[in-house]
């Protein structure tokens, strides 16, 4: 269910056919991207595929760079096909819709970088690929726009050649893209690929832990995106190089409380921990006009918690009732306008439990 409080929303709500939820163990990937490759070249299973990857909420307050969640009904699409006019082993981006700012050069495009990385993993040398990217997420929104493009492209290449790679390898392919765009952090790309909540236990080696939110519990994300761009690199540049021990202890305890709340389905506890960051949010919030007032408005309206989604400017709040979420979203939109002089759009969304997936294909 989407609620828009402006005439044209930069976000594109979508409806996807239901998919079976995936269950993942912890993933440990000790090999580098260059060493995870197929020993023999694969033949394509399809002539073309279409894939989707969801939006994500990274950090979740105190979980900077190691916690993230996927959001249902928002994201990017990639259509990929075998193209004899493209040089073997290469990717050509033939079309980009939904954004005029992205480069069609695959070496400078999130989807292109991830697609190339996945082709290298699969040892694809004899086939050229044509890629069409449909952006459903605005750039610099704090909803994992670059990760969604990377995840859907990696999945598209993998599916085209028989889905030989595991999700940990697809995350690595997406990380190569993220590293070139916004930094080497997996708290967007991991949930974009895997769905649900994901804990990044380690980067060296990469270790990913899915956190299963109970199916019998209700969780709604209230996402309010203002007409304001917050580039991730700029928002990372304001963060402190060092922090004091009291703040370190506090944030660690709150991150632990957040993980426990996710596993228990305790939305109130999740919200309380979500709101508790004393390290990153205090530095970023002043750069987003009205953010501090929006957080106060969300809590006053009944949200269990509110923080900045990723690097911002989107604000994310949580609740366990959809209708209440609509009311909270309206109060947050009003606060952005009053406190920051920014128009915004509010949406109430569920957790995406599936992650990046194939949604259409044409057999060879």
């Amino acid at each position: 269910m989407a609620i828009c409080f402006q005439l044209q929303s930069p976000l594109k709500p979508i409806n996807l056919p239901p998919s079976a939820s995936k269950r993942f163990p912890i993933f440990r990937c000790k090999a580098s991207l260059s060493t995870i490759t197929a020993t023999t070249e694969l033949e394509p299973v399809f002539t073309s595929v279409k894939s989707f990857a969801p939006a994500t909420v990274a950090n979740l307050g105190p979980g900077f760079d190691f916690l993230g969640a996927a959001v249902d009904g928002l994201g990017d699409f990639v259509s990929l096909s075998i193209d004899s006019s493209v040089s073997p082993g290469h990717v050509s981006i033939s079309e980009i819709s939904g954004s005029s700012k992205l480069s069609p050069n695959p070496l400078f495009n999130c989807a292109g970088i991830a697609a190339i990385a996945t082709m290298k993993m699969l040892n694809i040398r004899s086939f050229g690929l044509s890629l069409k990217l449909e952006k459903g997420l605005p750039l610099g929104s704090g909803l994992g726009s670059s990760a969604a493009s990377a995840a859907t492209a990696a999945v598209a290449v993998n599916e085209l050649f028989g889905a030989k790679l595991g999700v940990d390898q697809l995350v690595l392919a997406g990380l190569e893209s993220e590293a070139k765009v916004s930094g080497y952090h997996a708290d967007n790309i991991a949930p974009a690929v895997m769905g649900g909540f994901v804990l990044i236990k380690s980067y060296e080696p990469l270790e990913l832990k899915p956190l299963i939110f109970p199916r019998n519990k209700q969780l709604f994300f209230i996402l309010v995106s203002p007409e304001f761009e917050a580039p991730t690199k700029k928002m990372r540049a304001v963060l402190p190089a060092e922090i004091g021990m009291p703040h370190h202890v506090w944030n660690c305890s709150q991150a632990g409380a957040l993980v426990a709340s996710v596993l228990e389905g305790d939305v109130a506890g999740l919200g309380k921990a979500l709101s508790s960051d004393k390290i990153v949010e205090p530095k970023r919030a002043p750069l987003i006009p009205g953010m501090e007032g929006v957080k106060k408005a969300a809590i006053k309206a009944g949200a269990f918690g509110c923080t900045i989604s990723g690097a911002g400017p989107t604000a994310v709040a949580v609740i366990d009732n959809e209708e209440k979420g609509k009311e909270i979203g309206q109060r947050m939109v009003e606060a952005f306008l009053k406190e920051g002089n920014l128009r915004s759009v509010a949406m109430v969304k569920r957790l995406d439990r599936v992650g990046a997936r194939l949604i259409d294909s044409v057999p060879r």
Side-chain angles (χ1 to χ4, degrees), residues 69-361:
V71 178
D72 182 57
L74 297 171
D76 289 358
F77 295 88
V78 156
S79 297
L80 191 72
S81 59
I82 303 294
D83 191 336
S84 59
S85 68
V86 179
S87 300
H90 289 75
V91 175
S92 174
I93 299 179
S94 59
E95 182 182 332
I96 300 174
S97 61
S99 175
S100 60
K101 297 182 179 181
L102 296 177
S103 172
N105 185 333
L107 298 178
F108 300 100
N109 181 287
C110 296
I113 296 168
I116 293 169
T118 308
M119 289 181 74
K120 289 180 179 178
M121 286 182 174
L122 293 170
N123 196 29
I124 305 303
R125 304 185 307 274
S126 301
F127 301 93
L129 305 180
S130 178
L131 186 153
K132 296 180 180 180
L133 173 63
E134 180 183 339
K135 289 296 297 177
L137 296 173
L139 308 182
S141 60
L143 291 171
S145 178
S146 61
S149 293
T152 189
V155 165
V157 174
N158 189 42
E159 293 288 345
L160 192 70
F161 291 93
K164 302 298 183 181
L165 300 177
V167 291
D168 54 338
Q169 293 164 302
L170 295 175
V171 170
L172 277 176
L175 266 175
E176 180 160 315
S177 174
E178 290 284 82
K180 293 182 180 179
V181 175
S182 59
Y184 193 82
H185 58 95
D187 49 345
N188 287 115
I189 189 65
V193 170
M194 300 166 63
F197 288 90
V198 181
L199 166 67
I200 294 86
K201 292 185 66 177
S202 168
Y203 280 93
E204 293 294 340
L206 183 66
E207 294 188 19
L208 308 173
K209 174 66 176 177
L211 305 174
I212 308 302
F213 186 85
R215 285 190 169 275
N216 63 341
K217 300 288 187 177
Q218 294 289 317
L219 169 63
F220 295 93
F221 295 101
I222 306 154
L223 303 168
V224 181
S225 299
E227 293 181 341
F228 183 81
E229 189 170 333
T232 301
K233 285 188 175 181
K234 177 181 177 181
M235 299 301 279
R236 292 180 80 88
V238 304
L239 302 181
E242 298 180 353
I243 59 172
M245 185 60 72
H247 283 177
H248 165 70
V249 172
W250 171 260
N251 265 42
C252 286
S253 69
Q254 295 308 299
L258 195 151
V259 169
S261 297
V262 168
L263 296 176
E264 295 172 354
D266 178 5
V267 184
L270 192 163
K272 184 177 180 181
L274 187 88
S275 296
S276 67
D277 175 30
K278 290 187 177 181
I279 297 173
V280 177
E281 183 184 314
K283 297 294 183 181
R284 286 178 167 173
L287 301 182
I288 303 171
M291 179 58 76
E292 293 172 351
V294 169
K295 181 173 182 175
K296 291 178 182 178
I299 301 299
K300 184 177 180 180
F304 291 141
C306 180
T307 189
I308 302 170
S309 177
T314 294
V316 56
V318 293
I319 195 69
D320 60 0
N321 179 280
E322 187 173 14
E323 292 303 313
K324 184 65 175 178
K326 296 177 187 180
E327 298 174 12
I328 295 168
Q330 188 168 357
R331 300 288 88 79
M332 293 169 72
V333 166
E334 293 168 356
F336 257 129
L337 189 60
K338 179 181 178 181
E339 303 291 339
N341 197 30
L342 293 177
R343 297 175 68 200
S344 58
V345 57
M347 307 187 80
V348 181
K349 292 293 181 181
R350 294 178 183 271
L351 179 71
D352 183 305
R353 295 178 180 269
V354 181
R357 63 265 207 184
L358 179 72
I359 60 172
D360 197 13
S361 60

